[in-house]
């Protein structure tokens, strides 16, 4: 190694899902929404003029912040927006996890958490899920430098009940607790029944992170946001403005506002995905699969006879893409995104033939 190489920061990066190209493939591997964004998004896109891009974007994303604050009934000083929830969470790691004590997150969870912790030199511990992939709340009652977990969890899809979420927050008043709700809109009949957003009023140390990538069909435009106390949001903005004021581009701000406006379309597409998910569970069960009771827009499935890697490769040959994690604890499961009913029927038609 050359002397200067010793000064290069080295981390093991996050590995995103494949983004295969082609018109005839079925893409069920990255938890994207199979339906288009709200009609207002399309209209705004068509009306956008190139002249719009001549100036810098609003560094505060004030119109989008206003729309989100109004949608969730919070103050504008309680909303932070970023370039996808990954950006929001990375900023949160950098801002809030400064203790010498380890932060806590599940051992089977969103794999980016370990990457950020390593990148920012944050000590961490990863309490194991139980044998059925559930988070054990008692594991988060020990001294720590902060807590983060997805709810529903990824890649399992399991939902931690709100009373158990609150117990984790209540027992961790000396640090920041981040609840990553990328998939929460698929969890129940009403987000208020399952989201930790209601708890923000009660706990100043709680940050709830959500995204436009899943339920609002806008993974390609990169919008994420956090809701928390004004103290937390102010701290996030201070860190953001310390290295890049103009993180969110103009199209994202304009199209994000349009997406938030159309509540009816949002509920319609989420409902279709939930309905397809519940039907797909029955079809998978009949084919010999087992899986946790997903409350997300994907199913984490294992077949009783055929190894997951074998199924993954067979599906790829048919241009049907699902997610396979070649790592201990996950390597006999496939994470299958919920597509349209037609896409799922094509998946099951192949599986029925392949599994005999």
């Amino acid at each position: 190694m050359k002397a200067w190489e010793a000064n290069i920061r080295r981390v093991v990066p996050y590995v995103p899902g494949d983004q295969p190209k082609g018109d005839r493939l079925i893409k069920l591997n990255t938890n994207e929404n199979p339906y288009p964004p709200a009609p207002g998004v399309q209209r705004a896109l068509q009306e956008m003029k190139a002249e719009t891009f001549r100036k810098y974007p609003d560094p505060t994303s004030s119109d989008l912040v206003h729309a989100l604050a109004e949608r969730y009934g919070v103050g504008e000083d309680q909303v932070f927006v970023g370039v996808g929830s990954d950006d929001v969470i990375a900023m949160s790691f950098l801002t809030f996890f400064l203790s010498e004590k380890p932060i806590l997150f599940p051992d089977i969870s969103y794999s980016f958490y370990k990457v950020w912790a390593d990148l920012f030199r944050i000590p961490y511990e990863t309490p194991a899920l139980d044998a059925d992939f559930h988070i054990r709340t008692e594991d988060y009652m020990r001294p720590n430098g902060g807590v983060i977990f997805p709810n529903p969890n990824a890649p399992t899809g399991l939902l931690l009940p709100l009373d158990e979420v609150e117990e984790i927050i209540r027992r961790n008043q000396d640090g920041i607790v981040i609840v990553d709700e990328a998939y929460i809109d698929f969890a129940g009949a009403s987000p208020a029944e399952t989201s930790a957003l209601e708890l923000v009023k009660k706990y100043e140390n709680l940050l709830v992170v959500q995204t436009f990538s899943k339920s609002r069909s806008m993974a390609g435009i990169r919008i994420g946001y956090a809701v928390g106390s004004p103290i937390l949001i102010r701290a996030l903005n201070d860190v953001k403005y310390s290295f890049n004021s103009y993180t969110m581009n103009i199209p994202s701000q304009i199209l994000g506002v349009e997406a938030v406006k159309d509540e009816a379309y949002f509920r319609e597409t989420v409902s279709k995905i939930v309905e397809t998910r519940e039907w797909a569970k029955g079809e998978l069960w009949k084919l010999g699969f087992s899986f946790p009771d997903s409350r997300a827009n994907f199913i984490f499935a294992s077949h009783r006879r055929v190894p997951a890697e074998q199924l993954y490769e067979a599906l790829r040959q048919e241009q049907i893409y699902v997610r396979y994690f070649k790592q201990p604890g996950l390597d006999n499961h496939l994470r299958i995104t919920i597509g349209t009913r037609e896409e799922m029927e094509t998946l099951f038609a192949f599986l029925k033939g392949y599994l005999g």
Side-chain angles (χ1 to χ4, degrees), residues 270-292:
V270 166
S271 178
K272 284 196 284 190
I273 290 168
V274 169
E275 181 181 346
T276 304
R277 180 191 70 202
E278 295 307 302
W279 165 79
K281 288 177 183 177
E283 296 300 303
L284 285 168
W285 185 258
K286 287 186 284 189
L287 287 168
F289 286 90
S290 60
F291 42 85

Side-chain angles (χ1 to χ4, degrees), residues 101-116:
K101 299 174 187 175
I103 65 170
L104 305 177
F105 50 85
D107 66 333
I108 296 177
S109 186
Y110 187 29
S111 56
F112 226 143
Y113 298 159
K114 288 183 180 180
V115 176
W116 289 316

Side-chain angles (χ1 to χ4, degrees), residues 237-283:
N237 276 314
D238 285 347
V239 171
K240 168 191 167 182
Y241 295 144
S242 295
F243 69 92
N244 188 352
S245 300
Y246 302 109
T247 53
M248 182 169 287
N249 62 57
I250 290 172
S252 293
Q253 294 183 28
I254 293 171
L255 302 180
V257 170
E258 293 302 318
V260 175
K261 283 181 183 177
D262 200 333
E263 186 72 13
Y265 183 82
F266 163 73
R267 293 190 179 280
E268 177 190 348
T269 54
V270 166
S271 178
K272 284 196 284 190
I273 290 168
V274 169
E275 181 181 346
T276 304
R277 180 191 70 202
E278 295 307 302
W279 165 79
K281 288 177 183 177
E283 296 300 303

